[in-house]
């Protein structure tokens, strides 16, 4: 029906039965429509039917001849195809244009189709967003009494042109709730509602606005949309998605908003606070904005390519947040629609490609690498002293482990392994299980053969009976088998395997292991690494040439196990947690054994590349032989065991200190202009010429007094000469308050974005914002004080039909509150919400199993207790690969990328969440208790009280009757007694928390 009505309306425009559009300017009114809807098929990239509709090329026509006849829109093929009067209807196989858009095109043609002259190359840009805003004069209106702010004059002038009247002012109950939700993100208390209702003075509304703007809750509420832009999260992202400590940045944003830090300083400190003179902790913490990029820690990545992807994210985010620009589209080629050449993209990237970073490797041998950027430690003085002492000690020990002369130790070990090998007794398994569910079959020789399910990660638990008089060492044999890929010993398709750790326990008590050695020790896969705490290291073979061959590793307990009175029961745990490309590399066939011999390493096979060095006299070894011998022996050198043990202990002490850190940016020292490499077609693997930091040409050049670095860029972004930043910012404020921006495409002010519904108002707000010192509170006060904002949201069927999205602003905005507010409103109404401000992220209740994702063995959701379980949703721990379920249900983004705008959906899952999620069930019970405690003696009074707590208004008679009847049905269903009455009231409370009036801002 709606589509048919739109088709008919478009045809009426052409027939002259609807009033034509007033504007007839090509650049501002017509070009944006053509570029958004037509140029994709009829533009520079392709020309269906030989027709181009970009710029003056419209006049050239196509295969069907001329497409427009100036002065005669009805005869113009362009209009005929847009309305469907000529077939096929255009845009082809896409939704038709709105009647108003067709009307503008038709009016422009009827006025002579002027404005098709192409500007000279050196001319200034004509697209409205790239022209510096100038404060327009508020227009004259007929109903001047309605105007409370210049904002209203712009809105009312448009309404009067359209023949529409604004809506009456909303009720005072609606206004106090709307303001509270908009400015502090929480519903008002009943005391606050009553105070406003009882204040009949002319300054009551202004006083309410000022009180809310001064509330510490204001910073929490307005931090939410900014954290979407900043892609703030508590984990690194990508598959591994490990924890990061970033909450200090979130708290900095809240504090900056609460003290109304000017948007100018708010910007400069986040982009370049570390470069300011005298930068302190606050300014450096602010630079966490661009440290919120994801960090790839997967095995096998090219670290420099990952850093390039980080820079790509920073360019795209900067363009979207401050310029409302899709400059990211120019990474691979010149922008197809906006004036951003590809080279300009890399000039902007150069601003960010001058930061300090290093490459980090994990474990004693480097296995996985990733980019590490600076962290700011925020330790107390006592913590700083203790931390420095421990780090100094650990550094000295690591130097010892790395550099100690081991010639004598090697000679001793050579003698130790030169004798006859000790007898190892097979430890026959009593039982064996695999965490993956794979089958572990016990074979006749006491070995175990795995089959069945194969997961990326796994662990085997094997319980054995040992009858030896004492035990000096254990042996793990990796055995080939014809049933395994390539003959094994591993289950990987290539037959390889990686055991990341081996542990032994007796009667539930872990047996400390001291040394490890093996017949084969690949780089980063020494048997000694079976005993460390790193999941990324271990022992195994990853060379295809080793497939089908047996290998063995020997480990010794710190103290030999004394003889027991009888057989002893031991439990072995083998972990297989290697990262890609060695996932699914668990052992296929293996055997466990033990010895009581005094020299357990005797007879240990030596790798072929080490044997010549070991057998040669020390004085005759070449430098290469010495290097190979030391590299093989150092990880298992017993002389270094004490140092390694102390290093592990120090690492544990440092972790327990729990010193708060913040992710920060830091510029490389030097005076060279920042630069980066141009990338052909945007590919990291195709570097080109070096380009130097500069603004996109269409936006001008940096002033001479500004340095060509991040600081200069930040200052320019918030300079009065930048045509975009102020417009983009005020449009985002408007979108938050009204549900739609004056520019609906808040992320795109370019030619493919939507033109402002009220262009002069956008410019007036932008100039007002700048002239008021870039004060966010000042511009918000101006907006919420306007008559436009204070309108009621009720709308006639005619108005809803004519302006379904309220783009003309003829009524107040009505929409569901944001995801975080859905939960916060429920907790607030129930009297459960904690007022605690700031601090580390918390773990409120969430369903079991949500974090059963890769690498969850190292990350557990440990539900917070006490008030931390009832904090505002803003403080909930955000794991990018597994977002908090109730927030995700209500459209909160995963924060993997900058999110300038949230979608707003309406799905059954949302109702299931608010009815059944444990947080909302607990809130309903607490609200019922509050209703019984505070509502009054009668049931009707209690239900009416709960209704008012949730909606800020009293229930209508029919609503109250329905809720009382619901209570009666529930009480009858649940049986007689006080418990049934309480449960029935909780059911009513659940309904109250799920009312449309509770979940929307009206």
């Amino acid at each position: 029906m709606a589509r048919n009505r739109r088709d008919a309306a478009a045809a009426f425009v052409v027939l002259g039965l609807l009033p034509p559009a007033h504007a007839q300017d090509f650049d501002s009114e017509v070009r944006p429509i053509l570029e958004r809807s037509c140029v994709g098929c009829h533009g520079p990239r392709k020309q269906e039917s030989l027709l181009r509709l970009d710029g003056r090329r419209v006049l050239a026509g196509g295969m069907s001849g001329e497409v427009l006849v100036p002065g005669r829109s009805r005869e113009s093929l362009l209009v005929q195809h847009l309305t469907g009067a000529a077939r096929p209807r255009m845009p082809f196989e896409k939704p038709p244009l709105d009647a108003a858009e067709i009307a503008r095109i038709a009016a422009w043609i009827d006025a002579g189709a002027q404005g098709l002259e192409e500007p000279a190359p050196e001319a200034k840009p004509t697209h409205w967003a790239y022209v510096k805003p100038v404060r327009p004069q508020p227009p004259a209106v007929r109903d001047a009494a309605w105007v409370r702010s210049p904002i209203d004059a712009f809105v009312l002038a448009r309404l009067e042109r359209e023949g529409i009247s604004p809506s009456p002012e909303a009720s005072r109950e609606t206004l106090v709730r709307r303001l509270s939700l908009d400015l502090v993100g929480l519903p008002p208390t009943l005391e606050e509602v009553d105070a406003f209702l009882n204040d009949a003075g002319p300054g009551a509304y202004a006083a309410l606005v000022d009180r809310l703007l001064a509330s510490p809750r204001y910073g929490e509420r307005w931090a939410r949309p900014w954290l979407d832009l900043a892609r703030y999260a508590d984990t690194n992202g990508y598959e591994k998605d490990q924890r990061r400590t970033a909450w200090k940045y979130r708290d900095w944003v809240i504090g900056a908003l609460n003290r109304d830090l000017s948007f100018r300083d708010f910007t400069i400190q986040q982009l370049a606070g570390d470069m300011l003179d005298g930068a302190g902790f606050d300014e450096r913490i602010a630079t966490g904005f661009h440290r919120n990029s994801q960090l790839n820690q997967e095995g096998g990545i090219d670290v420099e390519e990952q850093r390039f992807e980080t820079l790509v994210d920073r360019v795209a985010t900067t363009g979207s947040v401050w310029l409302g620009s899709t400059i990211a589209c120019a990474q691979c080629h010149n922008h197809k629609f906006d004036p951003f050449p590809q080279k300009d993209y890399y000039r902007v990237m150069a601003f960010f490609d001058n930061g300090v970073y290093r490459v980090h490797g994990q474990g004693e041998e480097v296995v996985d690498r990733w980019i590490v950027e600076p962290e700011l430690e925020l330790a107390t003085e006592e913590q700083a002293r203790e931390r420095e002492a421990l780090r100094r000690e650990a550094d000295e020990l690591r130097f010892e482990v790395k550099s100690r002369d081991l010639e004598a130790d090697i000679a001793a070990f050579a003698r130790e392994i030169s004798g006859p090998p000790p007898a190892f007794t097979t430890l026959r398994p009593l039982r064996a299980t695999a965490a993956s569910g794979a089958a572990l079959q016990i074979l006749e020789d006491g070995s175990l053969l795995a089959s069945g399910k194969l997961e990326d990660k796994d662990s085997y638990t094997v319980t054995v009976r040992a009858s030896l008089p004492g035990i000096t060492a254990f042996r793990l044999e990796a055995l080939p088998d014809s049933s395994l890929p390539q003959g094994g010993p591993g289950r990987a398709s290539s037959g390889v395997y990686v055991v990341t750790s081996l542990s032994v326990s007796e009667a539930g008590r872990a047996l400390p292991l001291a040394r490890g050695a093996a017949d084969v020790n690949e780089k980063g896969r020494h048997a000694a690494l079976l005993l460390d705490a790193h999941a990324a290291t271990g022992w195994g073979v990853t060379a295809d040439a080793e497939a089908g061959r047996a290998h063995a590793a020997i480990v010794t307990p710190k103290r030999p196990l004394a003889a027991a009175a009888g057989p002893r029961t031991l439990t072995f745990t083998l972990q297989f947690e290697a990262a890609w490309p060695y996932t699914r590399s668990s052992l296929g066939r293996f055997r466990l054994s033990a010895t009581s011999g005094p020299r357990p390493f005797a007879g240990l096979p030596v790798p072929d590349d080490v044997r010549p060095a070991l057998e040669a006299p020390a004085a005759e070894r070449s430098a290469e032989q010495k290097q190979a011998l030391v590299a093989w022996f150092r990880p298992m050198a017993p002389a270094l065991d004490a140092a390694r043990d102390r290093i592990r202990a120090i690492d544990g002490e440092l972790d327990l200190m729990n010193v708060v850190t913040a992710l920060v940016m830091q510029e490389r020292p030097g005076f060279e202009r920042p630069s980066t490499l141009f990338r052909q077609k945007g590919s990291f693997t195709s570097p080109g010429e070096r380009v130097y930091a500069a603004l996109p040409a269409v936006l001008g050049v940096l002033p001479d007094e500004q340095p060509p670095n991040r600081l200069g860029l930040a200052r320019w972004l918030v300079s009065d000469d930048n045509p975009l930043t102020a417009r983009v910012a005020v449009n985002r404020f408007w979108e938050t308050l009204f549900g739609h921006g004056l520019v609906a495409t808040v992320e795109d002010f370019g030619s493919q974005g939507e033109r402002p519904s009220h262009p002069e108002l956008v410019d007036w707000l932008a100039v007002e914002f700048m002239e008021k010192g870039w004060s966010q509170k000042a511009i918000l006060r101006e907006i919420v004080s306007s008559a436009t904002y204070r309108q009621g949201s009720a709308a006639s069927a005619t108005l809803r039909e004519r302006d379904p999205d309220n783009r003309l602003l003829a009524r107040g905005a009505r929409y569901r509150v944001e995801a975080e507010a859905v939960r916060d409103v429920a907790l607030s109404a129930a009297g459960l919400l904690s007022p605690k401000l700031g601090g580390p992220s918390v773990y409120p209740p969430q369903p079991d199993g949500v974090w059963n994702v890769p690498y969850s063995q190292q990350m557990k959701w440990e539900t917070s207790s006490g008030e931390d379980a009832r904090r505002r949703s803003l403080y909930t721990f955000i794991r990018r690969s597994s977002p908090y379920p109730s927030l995700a249900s209500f459209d909160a983004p995963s924060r993997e990328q900058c999110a300038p705008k949230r979608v707003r959906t309406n799905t059954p899952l949302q109702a299931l969440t608010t009815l059944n999620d444990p947080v909302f069930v607990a809130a309903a019970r607490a609200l019922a208790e509050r209703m019984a405690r505070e509502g009054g003696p009668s049931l009707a009074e209690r239900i009416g009280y709960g209704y008012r707590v949730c909606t800020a208004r009293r229930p209508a008679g029919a609503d109250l009757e329905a809720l009382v009847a619901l209570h009666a049905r529930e009480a009858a269903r649940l049986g007689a007694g006080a418990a049934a009455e309480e449960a029935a009231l909780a059911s009513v409370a659940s309904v109250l928390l799920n009312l449309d009036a509770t979940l929307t801002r009206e």
Side-chain angles (χ1 to χ4, degrees):
M1 288 293 293
R3 177 169 179 170
N4 291 337
R5 286 194 295 269
R6 183 161 58 181
D7 292 350
F12 288 161
V13 170
V14 178
L15 296 174
L17 299 179
L18 284 180
H22 294 278
Q24 299 169 358
D25 178 72
F26 176 74
D27 281 319
S28 64
E29 294 289 343
V30 178
R31 186 195 293 267
I33 300 172
L34 297 179
E35 290 183 339
R36 183 172 60 252
S37 304
C38 307
V39 169
C41 295
H42 303 287
R45 294 186 64 184
K46 62 179 179 177
Q47 301 85 42
E48 297 289 347
S49 301
L50 302 181
L51 173 65
R52 289 185 67 168
L53 296 177
D54 51 319
R56 67 180 302 167
R57 300 171 183 83
V58 177
L59 294 173
M63 292 176 61
S64 301
E66 295 180 348
V67 295
L68 62 85
V69 181
R72 291 179 288 180
S73 62
R74 294 189 204 180
E75 301 173 24
S76 298
L77 282 175
L78 176 61
V79 175
Q80 292 175 8
H81 280 287
L82 290 175
T83 61
R87 296 293 176 180
R89 169 191 281 285
M90 293 293 172
F92 186 63
E93 294 185 345
K94 293 181 179 179
L97 299 186
D98 290 335
E101 293 177 318
I102 299 176
R104 285 202 290 272
I105 295 173
W108 168 69
I109 294 173
D110 287 334
Q114 299 298 311
L116 286 176
E117 294 76 13
E118 201 71 17
E122 67 275 5
K124 292 183 178 180
T126 56
H127 184 65
W128 67 271
Y130 305 133
V131 179
K132 180 180 175 180
V134 177
R135 182 190 290 274
Q137 186 67 26
V141 294
R142 291 192 295 273
D143 186 11
W146 186 76
V147 174
R148 292 177 177 272
S149 159
I151 292 172
D152 302 323
F154 294 103
V155 172
L156 185 58
R158 174 74 187 275
L159 292 176
E160 289 179 346
R161 287 201 306 270
E162 301 287 343
I164 299 174
S165 298
S167 296
E169 184 168 290
S171 69
R172 290 175 72 83
E173 292 93 341
T174 296
L175 287 176
V176 67
R177 190 170 191 270
R178 179 190 295 177
L179 272 174
S180 188
L181 288 171
D182 281 349
L183 295 185
V184 300
L186 297 172
T189 66
L190 291 188
E191 292 77 14
E192 291 168 336
V193 173
D194 289 336
F196 180 63
L197 296 181
N198 295 329
D199 187 349
Y205 187 89
L208 174 61
V209 171
D210 288 342
R211 179 178 63 77
L212 292 171
L213 289 175
S215 167
R217 308 300 153 208
Y218 163 85
E220 292 178 319
R221 186 269 177 272
W222 284 90
R224 198 286 303 154
W226 188 261
L227 295 178
D228 279 0
L229 296 170
R231 62 264 192 255
Y232 166 82
D234 296 293
T235 60
N236 289 331
Y238 294 100
E239 183 189 14
K240 193 168 288 188
D241 202 20
Q242 301 287 29
R243 297 177 195 269
R244 62 170 49 166
T245 303
W247 58 268
K248 274 291 186 179
Y249 168 77
R250 178 243 291 146
D251 285 4
W252 178 89
V253 172
I254 295 170
L257 292 170
N258 274 336
R259 64 180 184 271
D260 200 22
L261 182 68
S262 77
F263 191 76
R264 174 182 281 119
D265 291 334
F266 188 69
T267 293
I268 292 171
Q269 291 182 28
Q270 291 186 80
L271 291 181
D274 59 305
M275 303 176 73
L276 295 171
D277 291 338
F281 281 169
D282 272 2
E283 290 79 11
R284 295 189 65 194
I285 290 170
T287 64
F289 176 87
H290 268 323
R291 288 298 313 282
N292 287 323
S293 301
Q294 295 189 85
L295 173 63
N296 193 340
Q297 296 176 293
E298 305 309 313
I301 63 169
D302 183 317
V303 291
E304 289 299 333
E305 183 174 18
Q306 167 55 29
R307 182 168 180 272
F308 172 72
E309 294 301 328
T310 298
L311 297 176
V312 166
D313 170 73
R314 289 171 183 171
V315 174
T317 299
T318 302
S320 183
V321 172
W322 281 278
L323 302 177
S325 160
T326 56
I327 191 173
C329 296
Q331 176 188 343
C332 306
H333 49 70
N334 294 340
H335 202 294
K336 297 300 182 184
F337 305 107
D338 292 324
F340 297 120
Q342 187 183 6
K343 191 164 288 187
D344 276 1
Y345 174 90
Y346 289 96
R347 290 185 177 116
V348 175
M349 179 180 283
F351 285 110
F352 301 104
D353 197 5
N354 202 43
V356 170
Y357 74 96
R358 62 182 175 85
V359 177
H360 174 75
Q362 181 172 306
E364 200 166 271
E365 293 277 352
V366 174
V367 178
D368 293 339
R369 298 175 181 268
W370 56 83
I371 292 294
V372 174
E373 294 181 277
E375 292 188 13
L376 177 66
E377 290 189 352
L378 304 170
T380 64
E381 290 185 11
E382 181 179 353
Q383 283 179 321
R385 286 193 299 271
E386 183 180 355
R387 193 178 182 90
E388 179 60 27
L390 288 171
R391 283 179 166 173
R392 186 165 52 250
E393 181 184 358
D395 287 343
E396 292 170 354
L397 290 169
R398 288 190 177 96
F399 181 77
E400 177 186 350
V401 169
K402 183 178 180 180
S403 61
R404 180 168 173 171
D405 183 358
L406 297 174
E407 187 171 325
D409 302 87
I410 291 173
F413 189 69
R415 291 191 296 272
E416 182 180 355
I417 66 174
S418 63
F424 276 86
T425 301
T426 298
L427 300 174
R428 189 164 187 85
L430 299 174
R431 54 186 175 274
T433 59
S436 65
L440 293 177
Q441 179 187 0
I442 303 173
L443 303 183
E444 289 186 5
D445 63 354
S447 65
L448 291 153
L449 179 64
S451 62
K453 198 168 184 180
L454 178 60
E455 299 283 3
D456 285 352
K457 300 178 186 302
D458 207 347
S459 66
Y460 298 165
T461 302
V462 182
T463 302
V464 302
R465 183 69 53 84
S467 302
L468 282 74
I471 295 177
T472 57
F474 302 104
R475 183 175 66 185
L476 169 64
E477 294 176 273
L479 304 172
D481 193 273
S482 59
S483 69
L484 299 171
Q486 309 300 321
R491 301 191 69 194
S493 58
S494 60
V496 303
Y497 65 92
V498 177
V499 188
T500 54
S501 72
L502 171 69
S503 59
V504 188
S505 63
E506 182 177 17
R509 181 176 58 86
L511 301 178
L513 301 177
R515 298 174 60 194
D519 63 326
V520 61
N521 289 298
E522 295 180 357
K523 182 178 181 181
R525 304 292 180 203
H526 291 286
L529 300 177
L530 282 169
L531 314 182
D532 70 9
H534 294 295
T537 62
W539 171 72
V541 294
T542 57
D544 292 350
E546 295 295 335
R549 301 175 64 177
H551 297 289
I554 298 171
V555 296
T556 61
K558 281 198 172 183
R559 289 182 295 277
L561 276 64
R568 66 202 323 152
T569 300
L570 303 173
T571 299
F572 291 79
T573 302
L574 286 71
Q575 297 282 355
F576 308 96
E577 297 184 345
W580 184 90
Y582 303 120
T583 53
R584 305 170 73 85
S585 295
S586 50
L587 272 170
R589 184 180 175 194
F590 64 99
R591 181 167 53 207
L592 296 165
S593 55
T595 184
S596 301
R599 298 173 63 193
F601 292 109
L604 180 75
V606 179
D608 292 341
D609 61 336
V610 174
R611 182 178 302 280
L614 191 64
E615 294 176 348
E620 298 178 11
R621 291 170 188 154
S622 67
E624 291 78 9
Q625 286 179 323
K626 290 179 180 179
Q627 183 178 1
L629 182 57
V630 170
W632 170 74
F633 177 71
R634 190 178 297 280
M636 54 186 175
L640 299 177
D641 285 348
R644 289 195 185 95
D645 288 346
R646 179 56 185 154
I647 290 171
R648 282 193 287 267
I650 290 174
D651 288 342
E653 291 180 51
L654 290 172
D655 289 340
L656 289 174
M657 285 181 68
N658 199 26
V659 174
V660 176
T661 60
L663 307 176
V664 297
M665 301 282 283
Q666 183 178 330
E667 198 78 349
R668 284 200 297 264
F671 299 96
E672 293 184 3
R673 190 182 188 104
S675 63
T676 195
L677 293 176
F678 183 86
R679 306 286 174 171
Q680 304 291 340
K681 297 184 178 180
S683 171
F684 170 78
T685 58
S686 300
E689 64 180 299
R690 183 163 295 279
V691 296
Y692 293 87
L695 301 179
V698 70
L699 299 177
V701 296
L702 279 177
D704 292 339
E705 66 271 16
Q706 294 299 342
N709 53 26
R710 273 190 295 120
L711 181 57
L713 173 66
R715 287 171 173 165
W716 173 80
L717 284 173
V718 284
S719 72
D720 293 348
D721 292 330
N722 182 344
L724 286 164
T725 298
R727 283 180 171 132
V728 171
V730 296
N731 187 64
R732 208 157 39 229
F733 302 153
W734 193 277
E735 191 262 352
T736 303
L737 294 173
F738 287 88
H740 292 279
L742 294 167
V743 179
T745 50
V746 294
E747 74 287 356
D748 186 4
F749 276 48
S751 62
Q752 293 296 287
E754 186 171 307
R755 194 172 187 277
S757 59
H758 299 73
E760 296 84 3
L761 178 54
V762 172
D763 284 0
W764 186 91
L765 286 168
V767 175
E768 182 75 1
F769 185 40
M770 290 187 284
E771 292 187 355
K772 286 189 173 179
W774 298 80
S775 166
Q776 178 171 319
K777 287 188 177 182
I779 202 68
L780 290 178
R781 182 183 291 106
E782 185 72 40
I783 295 172
V784 301
S785 298
S786 67
T788 302
Y789 176 84
R790 294 167 67 163
Q791 294 177 98
S793 60
S796 65
T798 301
L799 183 56
R800 288 197 301 271
E801 174 72 17
R802 185 164 178 183
D803 186 20
D805 295 328
N806 195 28
R807 301 305 310 284
L808 298 178
L809 302 169
R811 61 186 185 275
R814 187 176 189 276
Y815 49 84
R816 194 201 66 229
V817 297
E818 298 148 335
E820 291 83 354
V822 171
R823 177 175 172 275
D824 293 351
V825 165
L827 292 175
S828 178
L832 297 176
L833 188 66
S834 165
K836 184 178 178 182
L837 191 72
S841 297
V842 295
Y843 303 82
Q846 75 169 1
D848 293 337
V850 173
W851 272 23
N852 289 347
V853 294
Y855 303 100
S856 280
Q857 293 88 346
Q858 286 76 41
M859 287 184 65
K860 304 294 182 184
W861 184 277
E862 296 181 1
T863 302
S864 299
S865 59
E867 69 171 335
D868 279 351
R870 299 177 277 107
R871 300 286 305 281
R872 286 192 74 162
S873 300
L874 177 78
Y875 300 113
T876 298
F877 188 94
I878 298 175
R879 187 177 190 185
R880 284 168 157 139
S881 62
S882 183
Y884 190 65
S886 70
L887 299 184
S889 296
F890 284 96
D891 311 316
S894 63
R895 300 273 177 80
E896 293 169 285
Q897 296 174 324
C898 173
K901 186 175 185 176
R902 290 189 181 184
V903 297
R904 188 174 288 115
T905 62
N906 188 3
T907 71
L909 185 58
Q910 293 165 353
L912 292 172
T913 297
T914 52
L915 286 168
N916 300 295
D917 184 277
V919 171
F920 291 89
V921 172
R925 290 171 178 162
L927 175 59
E929 293 173 2
R930 183 180 179 189
M931 291 158 63
R933 183 176 62 252
E934 303 172 12
S938 72
L939 177 63
E941 286 176 313
R942 293 175 177 178
I943 293 177
Y945 178 85
Y947 189 99
R948 193 162 181 246
V949 164
C950 292
T951 68
R953 58 185 172 86
R954 301 181 190 280
D959 292 340
L960 183 58
E961 290 173 5
L963 291 167
V964 171
L966 169 65
H967 182 275
R969 290 196 303 273
E970 286 294 290
R973 180 178 67 84
L974 295 168
E981 289 291 322
E982 293 173 3
L985 195 57
S987 295
V988 173
S990 179
V991 170
L992 292 176
L993 292 177
N994 279 273
L995 289 176
D996 188 56
T998 302
L999 298 177
T1000 63
R1001 60 194 283 277
E1002 293 296 288

